[in-house]
Structures are given as structure tokens and as C-alpha cells.
Amino acid sequence: MRPAQRRYVGLIYVAPALLFVMAFVVYPLVRLARMSMTSASLLGGGSFVGWANYLKAWRDETFWHALLFTLKYTACITPILMVGGFLLALLTAESGRIARFTRGVAFLPVVIGLGSSSILWVGLLDEQVGLVGKLLQDLGLVAQPPVWFIDAERGLWAVILTVVWKVIGFGMLLFVGGMQSVGIDIREAAVLDGAGYWQRVRYITLPLMVRTLMLTTLISVIGSLLAFDQFYIMTSGGPRSETFTSVYWIYQNSFVYFKQGYGAALSIILLAIVLVLSMLHLLVARRGSET
């Protein structure tokens, strides 16, 4: 087979994937960018307004407040997920029955939908009938069951608690895969050289898991920047719109205020922020792997 023919055969093989990406990624993005230049409404109509929506977003204090809150949420939850997932992986990386059972229990909440998980925790955290407040009161940690969503700070940490419970098992699974990819001969050589457990973790396991660490961090950061369901269900953006995330504000403008053109512009801005952060992350990961 000639080289040109091989190239055509390769194109035929990747054609379904290319068509899928064009139909469900590229085309919607083009439509979104086009809509962001209009005053389109959910009720219909709209005209071309150019960069007006982006200028409006620049002066939108609620959007920037929501973005800062989203970054704060991301900065708080990502280290917890990384450290917690890694520690769980250390506990369950072995192939014994107890380790496999513990791994399954930790991973079980991952299969629950985020919406269902949020509704479950709304009931558990209820100050009148919730089990969490009653448990804290019985243990003598609080005099009265706490009202979790009375202020933004307490509501934020309540949401972080529920999301960590929900997704920490996914990071654990990625870390377990990374740990099991480390050659057993390397670990045995370290043991023969007298390296202790934590020395092996620090100087062998962690350096050989850099790519897994970077991948898990990237997934956590992107997921946190796009947070919506948990805040929509648990805090409804309150109190006083202080727990609005970026996606929540985009939803409000697009489907509550019917400003789809402006919502599209906010989506493009958020997409650009996620792309920039992802590129910076990949750049740091590449330099780290080279050194």
C-alpha cells in the first residue's frame, strides 16, 4: 500500500470521531460564539450587538463576584481532594480482600449522581431533622444543631464536605492505578536499600506518579470551575447571592432572565479562563516531567 493510500485509510478510521467532534463540539462552540454577539432572548428575536455583551460582562460586578467565589471554592476543595484521595489510595493500593472492599466502599458514592447526592445531603444537614446536626449535638460538639446555610462561609464548607464525600473515590482510583504502575522491582530494590515506607512514598512513588497527579489536579480544577448542581440544590445561590458560581450566574441570565446572548458571552469568557488555566497546568506538568 502506498503512503498516500495509508493516509487515506487513516482518515477513514478517524472520520467517525472527527464527525462526532465537529457535530457536538465545534459546531455548538461556533453557534455559541455567534450568539454571544447578539441580544438573543430565550423568548425569541435578537439583533447583532457586536462586543456589547462582553463590555457588559466587564462591568458586571455579580459575574466577577461569582468568578472569585468559584476560584475560592476551587482553591479550597482541590487540595482536600488531592491529599484525601492520595491517602485513601495508600490505604487501598494493596490487592488484599480488605483493601479491595475498602476501595469499593470509598468509590461507591462516585456512582451516585451529583444532584441526587446534593438532595441527600440537604436532608442530612437540615437543622431540624438532619442526622448530622443531631450527631454533633449528641457528641457534645455543639449545643444546638448548626444551621449550615445561614451564611456563605458555612454554606461553602457544607458544600465542600458533600462534594468531597461524593468524588474523592474517583481521585483515589486514579492514584491507585498510578501506584500499581510503579514497578515492583523498583520497590523491592528500595526495600533492600533500607528505605522506609514513607521514604519510598516520597522518593519513589510520588516522583513516578507526576503525570497521574497532574491529571487528577486538572480534572478536579475543571470540575470545580464548572460547579453548578450542588450550589443550585443546596444553597440556591444564597444567602444574598453570595454563593453564586460562574455557571450559576450564566444559568440565571440565560434561563431565568432570558438573556441568552449575554449568557453565551459569559460562557465564552468562562471557557477562555478554563482553557488558559488548563494550558498553564499542562505547561507546568511538561516542565516538571522534563526535570
Side-chain angles (χ1 to χ4, degrees):
M1 186 180 294
R2 297 177 180 178
Q5 292 177 326
R6 292 198 195 99
R7 184 163 56 249
Y8 292 137
V9 170
L11 288 174
I12 293 174
Y13 280 126
V14 302
L18 287 176
L19 290 175
F20 181 87
V21 171
M22 292 295 295
F24 296 102
V25 179
V26 177
Y27 177 70
L29 280 177
V30 172
R31 289 293 303 271
L32 182 70
R34 183 178 178 183
M35 184 184 295
S36 70
M37 296 285 188
T38 69
S39 60
S41 170
L42 189 64
L43 301 177
S47 58
F48 181 78
V49 296
W51 298 99
N53 286 326
Y54 294 93
L55 294 175
K56 180 181 178 182
W58 179 257
R59 298 187 295 268
D60 189 346
E61 294 184 1
T62 304
F63 173 67
W64 292 109
H65 180 273
L67 180 60
L68 288 175
F69 176 79
T70 305
L71 293 174
K72 178 182 178 181
Y73 168 73
T74 302
C76 290
I77 196 172
T78 299
I80 298 174
L81 290 175
M82 296 295 295
V83 175
F86 186 76
L87 292 177
L88 280 175
L90 288 177
L91 292 173
T92 61
E94 301 299 330
S95 57
R97 291 184 179 180
I98 296 178
R100 288 197 298 268
F101 174 77
T102 307
R103 194 185 310 161
V105 171
F107 185 76
L108 188 60
V110 177
V111 304
I112 304 174
L114 188 56
S116 301
S117 167
S118 300
I119 294 173
L120 170 66
W121 277 99
V122 166
L124 291 175
L125 295 174
D126 186 270
E127 65 273 14
Q128 296 181 352
V129 298
L131 294 179
V132 174
K134 179 63 175 174
L135 179 62
L136 293 176
Q137 188 178 21
D138 291 343
L139 292 174
L141 299 177
V142 295
Q144 295 292 333
V147 182
W148 292 97
F149 306 112
I150 195 171
D151 60 68
E153 196 68 25
R154 188 178 295 181
L156 170 63
W157 285 104
V159 172
I160 289 175
L161 168 68
T162 65
V163 175
V164 167
W165 174 83
K166 165 72 175 68
V167 303
I168 196 171
F170 180 73
M172 174 205 67
L173 201 64
L174 292 177
F175 286 134
V176 167
M179 290 176 183
Q180 291 179 346
S181 67
V182 178
I184 189 172
D185 53 338
I186 299 177
R187 289 178 287 177
E188 290 178 349
V191 172
L192 292 175
D193 288 338
Y197 177 76
W198 290 110
Q199 289 177 319
R200 296 198 301 273
V201 171
R202 179 178 178 183
Y203 296 108
I204 296 177
T205 304
L206 281 174
L208 294 177
M209 286 180 55
V210 170
R211 294 185 180 275
T212 304
L213 290 168
M214 292 298 178
L215 173 63
T216 308
T217 305
L218 182 61
I219 293 174
S220 175
V221 169
I222 293 177
S224 301
L225 289 174
L226 301 179
F228 170 71
D229 305 54
Q230 56 269 44
F231 288 98
Y232 178 78
I233 294 172
M234 300 184 70
T235 70
S236 299
R240 298 178 299 279
S241 303
E242 292 183 7
T243 57
F244 264 171
T245 61
S246 302
V247 177
Y248 200 140
W249 185 235
I250 292 171
Y251 162 79
Q252 286 284 110
N253 280 278
S254 300
F255 301 104
V256 177
Y257 304 143
F258 304 136
K259 301 176 182 177
Q260 284 200 310
Y262 183 53
L266 295 179
S267 300
I268 293 293
I269 294 173
L270 181 60
L271 174 63
I273 293 172
V274 171
L275 287 177
V276 169
L277 291 177
S278 300
M279 291 174 62
L280 290 174
H281 180 275
L282 292 175
L283 180 62
V284 172
R286 179 176 297 179
R287 289 186 176 180
S289 62
E290 290 176 355
T291 56

